[in-house]
Amino acid sequence: MFRRTFWFTTGVAAGVWATTKVNRKLKQLTPESLAATAANKALETGARLKDRAVGFALDVRDNMAQREAELGEALGIHDDPELPAPRRYTAIENNRSTPKYPEHIENTTYSHNRNEDH
């Protein structure tokens, strides 16, 4: 009698465990769950790629500055070269004898019809 009860209880426990496991797997395979999982993995991958790209860009910038300093030292170029004095141009004065926009224009060929060009 004890042996039968033990095996019955063991079978029931195994059945409950297997049913729970199958239901969890079925919930993981629903389209919504698959889409959420794919989105999460894409976000993780994007964040990893961004971190790597930023690290690479910083390395390139540091190495570029180092190489530029080496080349400047080898060529004898100073970091702060003296710039020539700024040039000053004289402004052209406007001739005020003729108005820029006359108030009244006679015999104009300009048409105010906006549909004419189309």
Side-chain angles (χ1 to χ4, degrees), residues 18-39:
T19 303
T20 305
K21 199 80 158 156
V22 167
N23 284 337
R24 283 185 192 163
K25 192 52 109 173
L26 287 175
K27 285 181 183 177
Q28 287 179 354
L29 296 176
T30 60
E32 295 86 14
S33 178
L34 289 174
T37 303

Side-chain angles (χ1 to χ4, degrees), residues 30-77:
T30 60
E32 295 86 14
S33 178
L34 289 174
T37 303
N40 288 339
K41 291 202 183 234
L43 288 174
E44 290 172 9
T45 304
R48 254 185 287 143
L49 287 175
K50 179 189 163 213
D51 292 341
R52 288 181 184 174
V54 167
F56 177 72
L58 292 175
D59 287 345
V60 167
R61 186 182 302 163
D62 292 341
N63 290 334
M64 182 178 62
Q66 179 184 358
R67 182 64 178 151
E68 193 173 317
E70 290 173 0
L71 289 173
E73 185 178 313
L75 296 173
I77 299 173

Side-chain angles (χ1 to χ4, degrees), residues 1-11:
M1 181 84 148
F2 181 70
R3 187 182 279 174
R4 286 183 184 178
T5 306
F6 172 76
W7 288 113
F8 177 76
T9 306
T10 304

